[in-house]
Amino acid sequence: MSVFKVDKKAFINFYHIALSNDMLVLLQGILCFMATLRLLNVLGYSKSIETVVRVFKKAASQLIWFALFFTTCFTIYCILGWLLFGANLEHYKDIYSSLQTMFLSMIGKNRFTEMDNTSP
């Protein structure tokens, strides 16, 4: 901020602050999910909640291996997108942006026309 106080038109990069904020939001989401599972475990006296908890306990190892496999495949896919489109498209400028763009593509908000125009 001292640079801004000296020169009001100077560019100050706040990317590292935005990245820290994204990591904090991700950590809070994970902690909220873990707290929800813990709360479901405490409320295990209900038959339906007890059934859900039992299913997750029995499938925990398979879910962990699936998550590991999915994360590996998704990361490799994002790195491929970064290598193919990173030089030309803003949404693929680094690995983190590529991960965000690919995740948005998975939920239906893709930018196919930009990719097609860049690399048909």
Side-chain angles (χ1 to χ4, degrees):
M1 293 307 295
S2 61
V3 173
F4 181 72
K5 290 178 183 175
V6 172
D7 184 13
K8 298 288 186 192
K9 294 184 179 182
F11 174 74
I12 301 170
N13 190 1
F14 290 112
Y15 180 75
H16 63 284
I17 296 172
L19 184 64
S20 299
N21 183 46
D22 286 346
M23 292 299 124
L24 179 66
V25 168
L26 180 67
L27 180 65
Q28 287 176 339
I30 291 170
L31 289 175
C32 183
F33 175 72
M34 290 171 55
T36 302
L37 287 180
R38 194 78 170 147
L39 183 64
L40 287 176
N41 195 16
V42 169
L43 297 175
Y45 59 86
S46 173
K47 288 291 182 185
S48 60
I49 293 175
E50 185 178 325
T51 305
V52 171
V53 170
R54 248 188 287 128
V55 166
F56 275 119
K57 281 184 180 177
K58 288 190 179 216
S61 65
Q62 293 175 354
L63 287 174
I64 288 171
W65 282 110
F66 172 76
L68 182 67
F69 180 74
F70 178 79
T71 303
T72 304
C73 290
F74 186 70
T75 304
I76 291 170
Y77 186 64
C78 291
I79 290 171
L80 179 67
W82 171 65
L83 289 173
L84 290 175
F85 304 113
N88 300 321
L89 292 177
E90 181 70 22
H91 300 292
Y92 294 92
K93 66 182 175 185
D94 56 8
I95 297 292
Y96 185 70
S97 299
S98 179
L99 284 167
Q100 286 180 333
T101 304
M102 292 295 183
F103 183 74
L104 287 175
S105 293
M106 280 180 24
I107 60 173
K109 295 184 177 183
N110 55 7
R111 296 179 169 92
F112 182 71
T113 54
E114 293 175 8
M115 293 183 336
D116 191 37
N117 291 338
T118 301
S119 195

